[in-house]
Amino acid sequence: MVYGNPAINLERVSSANQVGRFLTSSMYASVKNPVVHAGRLEPAHLQALIHASMLGQSQTSIVVHQWLASGVDIEDVYLEGITPVARLLGQWWCDDVIDFASATLAFTRLRQLLFELSPLFLMDASDHARGLSCFMVGEFQVQHTMGLFMLSEFFRRNGWQVRTDECESGDDLLRKMSSDWFDLMAISLSCERQVPLMRRLIPLIRKASPNPDLKIIAGGALLSVCPEIVTGLGVELITQDARSAQKSALDLVSNKQYIRKSDLTLSNVN
């Protein structure tokens, strides 16, 4: 039970003072996680996860496992629960409502939660993608972001073979994309400096790839705040939703008119 914890509108925070009162009171109260009705998450549930992520790892895990026990689909936990909470925490950090240390701890707990949920998330994996291959890349010289990890989970759950090698530079990415066959490359954009670099690299990657019909998609947190920035990026698909991204990517790649390298056999090359 929470005592004196003010309700806030997580979709439209009216003032930094309101958030400050919420965070201050949260440090002295236990997490109130309302009952879930009909498997749907409401703003109060997101408030509970924010509160928990500011307190500790065990509290964060308990909130989400209560959702799952109440019938919330695990994909909805990822997209309707963890994703908007992470975005809001990021916005509060950008607006100097919470400090770097608090934001980092909360993000770390949410990221650890995704690792914890991964076996359950992949338990019902399908073979819809029939082993199509995808290389996913984020910002260079940066540990994989939570968004990129979540995207890889959705692709793996639907039968994709996913590689998420960390890249040191554009040349490193170019070497990786030219050394193996990939049906798809997915770019996660989290900062503006990635965009001009990717504009330069994409034509080079297409030219160097063993796949003459490589498909490239882009998404990420940057697109939620300035979607116009990727105009002219040279990709086939722009997306912000991990679930729809893999479905659209599968349609994109399945419409190809070439034979995948892994499909070549003695019977179809003679």
Side-chain angles (χ1 to χ4, degrees), residues 46-229:
L46 306 189
Q47 179 170 319
L49 183 56
I50 287 182
H51 184 179
S53 70
M54 304 295 289
L55 290 181
Q57 192 64 53
S58 62
Q59 293 94 327
T60 304
S61 180
I62 288 170
V63 165
V64 169
H65 281 281
Q66 287 175 343
W67 295 350
L68 292 169
S70 298
V72 181
D73 184 83
I74 193 166
E75 290 193 3
D76 290 337
V77 168
Y78 276 46
L79 297 179
E80 308 300 329
I82 298 173
T83 295
V85 163
R87 285 177 178 168
L88 185 58
L89 287 167
Q91 186 60 53
W92 286 354
W93 177 28
C94 290
D95 293 342
D96 292 326
V97 174
I98 57 177
D99 58 33
F100 176 79
S102 298
T104 300
L105 283 172
F107 284 131
T108 299
R109 288 161 184 156
L110 292 175
R111 180 178 171 84
Q112 183 59 40
L113 176 64
L114 288 177
F115 289 140
E116 176 189 333
L117 293 174
S118 180
L120 180 62
F121 190 81
L122 299 177
M123 183 179 296
D124 296 324
S126 72
D127 62 350
H128 291 159
R130 305 178 307 282
L132 290 168
S133 58
C134 176
F135 189 95
M136 296 187 175
V137 62
E139 188 177 359
F140 299 144
Q141 297 183 347
V142 172
Q143 192 176 44
H144 292 327
T145 63
M146 189 163 56
L148 188 65
F149 178 79
M150 187 179 293
L151 183 65
S152 71
E153 291 282 275
F154 273 85
F155 272 68
R156 290 189 175 101
R157 195 171 199 238
N158 286 275
W160 290 80
Q161 297 295 318
V162 180
R163 273 181 56 183
T164 57
D165 306 13
E166 292 183 14
C167 295
E168 293 295 317
S169 64
D171 289 340
D172 189 19
L173 173 61
L174 191 58
R175 281 193 296 271
K176 288 179 168 64
M177 291 302 301
S178 62
S179 62
D180 281 304
W181 175 284
F182 296 101
D183 296 290
L184 179 77
M185 182 172 79
I187 305 168
S188 179
L189 299 170
S190 56
C191 64
E192 293 185 21
R193 63 176 173 269
Q194 289 175 270
V195 178
L197 181 56
M198 283 300 171
R199 279 203 183 95
R200 179 180 67 82
L201 284 173
I202 285 173
L204 300 176
I205 289 170
R206 291 192 189 279
K207 184 177 180 179
S209 173
N211 179 357
D213 197 20
L214 175 72
K215 304 300 183 184
I216 303 177
I217 67 173
L222 181 63
L223 299 183
S224 65
V225 292
C226 46
E228 71 285 350
I229 199 169

Side-chain angles (χ1 to χ4, degrees), residues 6-22:
I8 60 173
N9 185 333
L10 297 180
E11 297 176 350
R12 191 185 209 61
V13 178
S14 60
S15 71
N17 287 337
Q18 187 181 22
V19 179
R21 288 195 299 273
F22 164 70

Side-chain angles (χ1 to χ4, degrees), residues 28-44:
Y28 302 98
S30 58
V31 177
K32 181 180 180 181
N33 195 21
V35 175
V36 175
H37 297 289
R40 294 178 60 85
L41 295 175
E42 304 292 341

